[in-house]
């Protein structure tokens, strides 16, 4: 194809690559990112888009409050489109995004919900949000997965639910614990559980993620639960599993992660949960000290 401008490149990328090769949720995310990129670059020819123009865009996005990770998502999508244009669609040019540095992402945020914080947060939440919070803490699902969940994916008789459209492209059927099952049972009794969204809006449509985020932030403020994000309930799920003695392989499967190593990003320990480990030294400490004392006096 011959691309008259960046808008045509992104249209082609979405239609011929993203829609075909990516999971539906990722494809929808690409559409949103492409729309933002095209507002800035859409009218320009590909050769007119250089590193300086991209760098200025990156700075503007940063000043607008976009997170480093989100900025990098946009740059990655843009770079991939240029790469395909060169490698597969025979555009004769260079990829300008490769010359622009990525934002530094700090992934060392360790945050999970304590039992006392959970009670305050639930008390400060609207009824529909309270159900979503309890379900999130007890399943480890991402916000989009919860909002997309529909009744045909739920089997109350077997106490399971199935995820069809995931980031990793897999289909997984997972068990429900008592708290998550109670949430779904209560929702089933309150309405039609044969079809539609499990956690719908008042009109039965999918809840808008930004509205959920707004209500969640307001509840955190009222409950005085500081520096806590919706995604941190996924951290909470993993942390509680590990503290309960669940082996890392099972945690990996329940969280639908590719490797056990990825579990360590979520499986954080509180200081007190580590105490039994260090106290093992007290059990053997006396004989060790005596041994070294004798060596020192020889």
């Amino acid at each position: 194809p011959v691309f008259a401008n960046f808008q045509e490149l992104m249209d082609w990328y979405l239609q011929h690559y993203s829609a075909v090769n990516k999971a539906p949720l990722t494809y929808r995310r690409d559409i949103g990112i492409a729309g933002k990129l095209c507002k800035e670059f859409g009218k320009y020819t590909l050769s007119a888009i250089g590193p300086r123009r991209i760098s200025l865009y990156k700075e503007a996005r940063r000043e607008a409050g976009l997170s480093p990770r989100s900025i990098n998502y946009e740059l990655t999508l843009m770079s991939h489109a240029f790469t395909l244009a060169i490698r597969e669609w025979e555009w004769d040019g260079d990829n300008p995004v490769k010359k622009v540095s990525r934002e530094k992402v700090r992934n060392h945020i360790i945050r999970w919900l304590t039992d006392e914080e959970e009670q305050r947060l639930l008390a400060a939440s609207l009824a529909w949000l309270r159900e979503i919070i309890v379900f999130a803490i007890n399943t480890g699902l991402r916000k989009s997965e919860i909002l997309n969940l529909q009744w045909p994916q739920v089997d109350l008789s077997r106490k399971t639910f199935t995820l069809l459209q995931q980031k990793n492209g897999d289909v997984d059927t997972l068990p429900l614990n008592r708290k998550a099952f109670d949430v779904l049972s209560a929702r089933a009794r309150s309405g039609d559980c044969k079809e539609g969204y499990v956690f719908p809006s008042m009109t039965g449509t999918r809840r808008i993620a930004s509205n959920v985020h707004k209500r969640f932030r307001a509840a955190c403020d009222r409950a005085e639960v500081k520096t806590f994000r919706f995604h941190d309930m996924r951290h909470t799920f993993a942390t509680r599993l590990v503290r309960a003695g669940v082996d890392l392989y099972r945690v990996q499967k329940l969280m639908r992660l590719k490797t056990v190593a990825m579990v360590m990003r979520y499986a954080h320990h509180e200081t007190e949960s580590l105490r039994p480990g260090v106290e093992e030294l007290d059990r053997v400490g006396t004989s060790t000290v005596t041994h070294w004392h004798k060596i020192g006096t020889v």
Side-chain angles (χ1 to χ4, degrees):
V2 177
F3 304 111
N5 51 40
F6 183 76
Q7 177 74 58
E8 289 190 6
L9 170 61
M10 292 312 303
D11 289 343
W12 187 269
Y13 177 86
L14 291 173
Q15 180 181 353
H16 295 278
Y17 183 84
S18 186
V20 176
N21 296 287
K22 297 187 180 183
L25 288 177
T26 307
Y27 170 57
R28 287 199 289 271
R29 187 191 72 182
D30 284 357
I31 292 175
I33 292 176
K36 295 180 178 65
L37 290 171
C38 286
K39 285 183 180 180
E40 178 67 24
F41 303 104
K43 64 182 179 181
Y44 295 111
T45 62
L46 301 190
S47 58
I49 301 174
R52 175 172 171 75
R53 180 162 279 154
I54 298 170
S55 181
L56 290 173
Y57 171 79
K58 183 181 71 170
E59 292 176 11
R61 298 295 281 161
R62 188 192 308 135
E63 291 173 2
L66 202 66
S67 70
R69 184 181 299 275
S70 295
I71 293 173
N72 288 345
Y73 277 145
E74 295 184 359
L75 295 180
T76 297
L77 184 69
M78 187 178 189
S79 180
H80 193 209
F82 269 103
T83 295
L84 289 180
I86 296 167
R87 190 178 65 205
E88 298 185 16
W89 302 328
E90 298 183 344
W91 177 64
D92 184 17
D94 296 322
N95 184 345
V97 190
K98 288 186 175 181
K99 299 179 181 180
V100 179
S101 63
R102 298 296 195 268
E103 296 289 274
K104 185 175 182 179
V105 178
R106 293 176 174 84
N107 286 323
H108 303 296
I109 299 175
I110 301 176
R111 184 68 169 99
W112 66 93
L113 207 59
T114 66
D115 294 342
E116 194 271 336
E117 285 178 323
E118 179 183 352
Q119 294 306 312
R120 295 207 316 265
L121 180 58
L122 292 176
S125 299
L126 298 172
W128 63 264
L129 180 59
R130 192 178 306 127
E131 292 179 329
I132 290 176
I133 290 173
V134 172
F135 195 73
I137 290 173
N138 288 279
T139 61
L141 295 189
R142 303 173 179 89
K143 179 166 58 178
S144 61
E145 292 170 335
I146 294 175
L147 300 183
N148 287 328
L149 189 65
Q150 299 189 42
W151 283 113
Q153 297 169 245
V154 176
D155 189 334
L156 291 176
S157 63
R158 296 176 58 204
K159 296 184 179 180
T160 63
F161 65 98
T162 300
L163 294 177
L164 305 175
Q165 300 175 353
Q166 303 182 70
K167 290 177 67 176
N168 60 14
D170 292 343
V171 175
D172 289 302
T173 297
L174 300 168
L176 294 161
N177 71 349
R178 180 181 57 79
K179 290 183 178 180
F181 176 77
D182 287 347
V183 169
L184 296 187
S185 296
R187 291 222 44 79
R189 289 193 298 269
S190 67
D192 185 2
C193 64
K194 294 183 180 179
E195 58 183 25
Y197 293 101
V198 174
F199 300 99
S201 67
M202 294 294 291
T203 59
T205 58
R206 182 187 186 276
R207 283 194 180 274
I208 299 174
S210 59
N211 290 344
V212 176
H213 173 78
K214 181 179 178 180
R215 296 296 185 182
F216 178 76
R217 289 262 42 90
C220 287
D221 291 341
R222 287 194 296 271
E224 297 185 348
V225 175
K226 307 296 184 181
T227 64
F228 190 74
R229 308 162 300 172
F230 192 101
H231 190 76
D232 290 328
M233 288 188 282
R234 184 164 165 84
H235 292 236
T236 302
F237 173 73
T239 301
R240 290 181 179 180
L241 287 175
V242 174
R243 288 174 60 192
V246 178
D247 65 83
L248 296 187
Y249 177 77
R250 290 186 183 180
V251 178
Q252 174 198 348
K253 293 303 181 183
L254 289 169
M255 298 202 56
R256 296 154 290 121
L257 297 171
K258 287 292 187 182
T259 65
V260 172
M262 295 176 69
V263 176
M264 302 313 297
R265 184 166 178 261
Y266 295 94
H268 310 299
H269 282 286
E270 288 180 314
T271 302
E272 288 305 309
S273 72
L274 296 174
R275 189 172 299 281
V278 74
E279 285 180 349
E280 285 295 308
L281 294 176
D282 295 333
R283 186 173 60 82
V284 298
T286 302
S287 61
T288 303
V289 171
T290 301
H291 174 69
W292 281 102
H293 174 71
K294 289 180 178 178
I295 292 176
T297 58
V298 173

